[in-house]
Amino acid sequence: MSKDTIKIFDTTLRDGEQSPGASMNTEEKIQIAAQLERLGVDIIEAGFAAASPGDFDAIEKIAQRVKNSTVCSLARAMDSDVKAAGESIAKARLKRIHTFIATSPIHMEYKLKMNPDEVIKRAVRAVEYARTFVEDVEFSCEDAGRSDIGFLKEISDAVIEAGASTINLPDTVGFRLPFEIGAMVKEMSDYTKGRAIISVHNHNDLGLGVANSLEAIIHGARQVECTINGLGERAGNAALEEIVMALKTRSDVFTNFKTNINTKEIYPSSRLIATITGIEPQPNKAIVGKNAFSHESGIHQDGVLKNKETYEIITPESIGLIKDDTLVLGKHSGRAAFKDKLAKLGFTLNNDALNSSFERFKILADRKKEIYDDDLRALVTNEMTKATQVYELISLQLMDCSGGVPSAAVKIKKENDEIIEAGIGEGTIDAVFKTIDRISGYNGKLEDYKVKSVSEGKDALANVTVKVSFNDEPAIIGHGLNIDTMLASARAYIGALNSYLSMEGKLKSRYSDTSKTV
Ligand code: KIV
Ligand code: ZN
């Protein structure tokens, strides 16, 4: 019997980017999109083109690069948004516009200040206009979870007639329980049968995003919207890896369904996104958490040794987690071994990226005895996602961290000039960052600072993530990797500055309302 395909619509780059502190530079978004394509997602929501020139640029570049997944941009139900969305994806091989307007009484009355007829008119106009750019238009009834089912049917009839082929029913505030989502989806899919695909988009405010998505599939949804690591507004969205692995592992229940996901790309995708956003999944997170495959108690370990299935319902290999991390590289490893190892980790680098990554690997190998998979992942991701380097750190000297006045001397290269400055601060980090500010002339406001060891051992690489706002523009993330935490911190700060310069003037939201989705 042929199985129904559940379309996986990934919104890591749009709803996921709306997680506090998850804003990414264009290079980072391109790398994530390329990984999502390898993962096999059907639709990549690459951003919200009208939100800012930076968002538009990133979507446009992703549209040119991705070939096997549909590239989609979000648009509010207004001409200017739909136009920006249509233009941003114009060069994509497969493209979709996703337009939305709120349909719940509370949103229509207080947020939109529109009556239901006006909302239907706006929705129809947006879909008709979107169809002048693309064939494939999705319409979302924002806050469908709290909308009147009669109104959902009415607006769906109107937008399907106008040319929408997917009707998305978001539980925008994560309020609904599985049986309620099941009932809504069943009624809507029976009603629209054969005229549109029913999709769900479940937020996780009550921790039910995945359960609600699975219930929706059972009751007729054929598209689920989700994010890697469950990133997203507030408590996030339903996690892609959990939905996909539930469908696969419980294929005895979900007998009629399949997805196009290559599950072996789940773990590499999760690591890439955690490294880029600096947001680590909680250790006990299902599927991709650090402890998801660890067995701590003696009884469990004993069982697993006798037969893995006593305590493991999923194999680490099935999600691409190669537990055999024993093939460590060291300073005598050559370029071929390096390239081979990267290929095993899912990285295919062009020659330039391979050369620069190998150079960085050699420098690291001189200082660190053994280099683990996580070190390589961090190093290569760092190399591949960095913005054009306007400023480059040459050296850093720190003085008196022990009770006197913390001070730093920083040497930085800008084009062909080397600039040296020294400065003091309240602490060592403050001294380093202030001195960099003095060299660049930009005054950065540090909004977040995180340091994490990449692997184990006293000589572990420090991965520093900073979130800095320059010129009062939205904060941008920078990463620095080094055995020395202070050097990693200086690199992270300069990385944020370089990212900022690559997007200067393109970060500010285009509309005065600071929220990205109204
Ligand atoms: O949560 C939501 O309702 C959304 C829509 C824009 C689809 O993100
Ligand atoms: Zn959402």
Side-chain angles (χ1 to χ4, degrees):
M1 190 182 58
S2 78
K3 295 190 176 195
D4 275 6
T5 300
I6 304 299
K7 289 192 188 191
I8 301 294
F9 176 115
D10 180 279
T11 183
T12 307
L13 290 170
R14 199 276 299 167
D15 215 318
E17 207 205 9
Q18 289 171 220
S19 310
S23 55
M24 310 163 206
N25 72 28
T26 305
E27 252 333 288
E28 290 167 336
K29 288 184 184 175
I30 293 171
Q31 290 305 327
I32 291 177
Q35 178 57 34
L36 292 173
E37 188 182 24
R38 275 195 290 279
L39 178 63
V41 310
D42 300 281
I43 301 112
I44 297 173
E45 187 162 55
F48 182 8
S52 73
D55 284 52
F56 184 100
D57 267 7
I59 299 169
E60 198 174 38
K61 292 201 169 98
I62 290 168
Q64 284 166 12
R65 155 131 196 197
V66 168
K67 296 286 172 248
N68 299 321
S69 308
T70 296
V71 179
C72 169
S73 169
L74 185 67
R76 291 170 297 177
M78 53 173 69
D79 282 4
S80 51
D81 272 34
V82 172
K83 184 168 185 284
E87 288 171 355
S88 69
I89 55 172
K91 299 216 173 93
R93 189 173 85 83
L94 303 164
K95 44 190 167 235
R96 172 182 291 191
I97 294 177
H98 174 195
T99 186
F100 73 98
I101 193 162
T103 51
S104 63
I106 185 172
H107 277 232
M108 291 193 284
E109 182 179 347
Y110 293 100
K111 190 183 72 169
L112 299 175
K113 298 188 184 10
M114 282 183 204
N115 66 43
D117 285 344
E118 286 170 310
V119 168
I120 294 183
K121 250 194 213 141
R122 280 272 296 271
V124 166
R125 162 70 197 164
V127 171
E128 280 174 353
Y129 189 41
R131 282 297 305 262
T132 66
F133 294 93
V134 291
E135 299 255 299
D136 181 355
V137 175
E138 168 173 338
F139 175 75
S140 276
C141 312
E142 191 192 8
D143 205 17
R146 293 188 298 172
S147 300
D148 173 71
I149 193 96
F151 187 56
L152 290 179
K153 288 179 183 168
E154 197 183 335
I155 199 165
S156 299
D157 280 341
V159 294
I160 292 170
E161 177 71 24
S165 45
T166 303
I167 302 291
N168 185 35
L169 303 171
D171 184 21
T172 302
V173 290
F175 177 69
R176 288 291 162 204
L177 303 176
F179 80 92
E180 295 171 310
I181 292 286
M184 174 179 70
V185 167
K186 172 144 181 38
E187 195 160 342
M188 289 302 291
S189 61
D190 286 349
Y191 184 70
T192 56
K193 200 140 210 113
R195 293 187 290 145
I197 287 183
I198 293 294
S199 163
V200 286
H201 174 113
N202 291 308
H203 277 272
N204 209 25
D205 299 66
L206 293 174
L208 293 169
V210 171
N212 285 347
S213 304
L214 295 173
E215 194 72 14
I217 291 171
I218 291 170
H219 288 92
R222 292 294 173 266
Q223 172 178 289
V224 283
E225 303 195 355
C226 43
T227 57
I228 302 287
N229 296 345
L231 284 183
E233 284 267 3
R234 305 181 312 278
N237 290 64
L240 180 150
E241 61 278 8
E242 294 178 25
I243 296 173
V244 169
M245 290 313 288
L247 291 175
K248 184 176 159 110
T249 309
R250 295 307 311 274
S251 58
D252 57 323
V253 174
F254 296 102
T255 39
N256 292 339
F257 307 117
K258 65 179 172 67
T259 71
N260 291 322
I261 296 296
N262 173 3
T263 61
K264 293 208 160 126
E265 292 293 342
I266 284 181
Y267 189 70
S269 306
S270 169
R271 291 317 310 148
L272 180 71
I273 278 128
T275 308
I276 286 177
T277 59
I279 304 174
E280 277 294 323
Q282 71 204 50
N284 57 332
K285 158 99 178 54
I287 318 293
V288 293
K290 192 167 174 278
N291 299 343
F293 295 96
S294 308
H295 301 281
E296 210 48 38
S297 90
I299 297 173
H300 288 206
Q301 285 172 352
D302 181 53
V304 170
L305 284 174
K306 289 174 176 146
N307 180 341
K308 279 192 177 161
E309 282 175 30
T310 50
Y311 288 100
E312 261 183 24
I313 59 163
I314 303 168
T315 65
E317 294 77 22
S318 65
I319 62 154
L321 170 57
I322 312 151
K323 282 198 107 183
D324 177 20
D325 191 18
T326 46
L327 174 56
V328 283
L329 296 180
K331 69 178 184 182
H332 299 298
S333 306
R335 207 165 173 282
F338 178 72
K339 189 176 169 192
D340 186 55
K341 184 74 190 179
L342 291 190
K344 285 204 179 98
L345 293 177
F347 292 102
T348 28
L349 273 58
N350 65 27
N351 250 351
D352 283 354
L354 183 68
N355 288 344
S356 57
S357 297
F358 187 59
E359 238 171 72
R360 283 197 65 186
F361 160 74
K362 280 293 188 192
I363 295 169
L364 178 63
D366 259 345
R367 298 183 63 190
K368 191 174 186 313
K369 235 172 105 204
E370 288 170 329
I371 298 181
Y372 297 95
D373 289 357
D374 279 345
D375 295 325
L376 283 179
R377 268 195 201 98
L379 185 143
V380 174
T381 305
N382 200 252
E383 199 54 39
M384 284 165 66
T385 55
K386 70 182 178 208
T388 312
Q389 282 194 286
V390 179
Y391 293 97
E392 194 184 336
L393 182 70
I394 303 291
S395 66
L396 171 67
Q397 210 177 333
L398 302 171
M399 288 150 276
D400 209 345
C401 325
S402 60
V405 181
S407 49
V410 182
K411 193 200 267 190
I412 281 181
K413 191 166 156 201
K414 185 185 180 199
E415 283 146 19
N416 293 326
D417 292 338
E418 286 195 351
I419 313 161
I420 304 177
E421 269 290 354
I424 58 170
E426 298 303 327
T428 315
I429 295 280
D430 191 41
V432 173
F433 291 179
K434 277 188 176 143
T435 309
I436 296 170
D437 282 350
R438 195 184 293 181
I439 293 176
S440 70
Y442 286 91
N443 197 359
K445 187 170 154 247
L446 185 67
E447 291 190 3
D448 196 14
Y449 173 93
K450 274 191 217 124
V451 58
K452 182 180 173 285
S453 90
V454 174
S455 54
E456 52 211 56
K458 289 185 188 130
D459 63 351
L461 270 176
N463 187 358
V464 173
T465 306
V466 292
K467 203 177 140 198
V468 195
S469 153
F470 296 97
N471 284 355
D472 288 330
E473 290 213 43
I476 193 133
I477 295 173
H479 302 283
L481 263 187
N482 203 280
I483 290 178
D484 184 290
T485 309
M486 285 302 149
L487 271 174
S489 304
R491 291 225 160 97
Y493 195 80
I494 292 171
L497 177 62
N498 286 331
S499 272
Y500 170 70
L501 293 174
S502 74
M503 302 179 80
E504 196 175 7
K506 294 185 188 165
L507 284 161
K508 272 218 172 96
S509 175
R510 273 197 169 131
Y511 29 88
S512 50
D513 180 342
T514 49
S515 69
K516 277 198 167 183
T517 54
V518 285

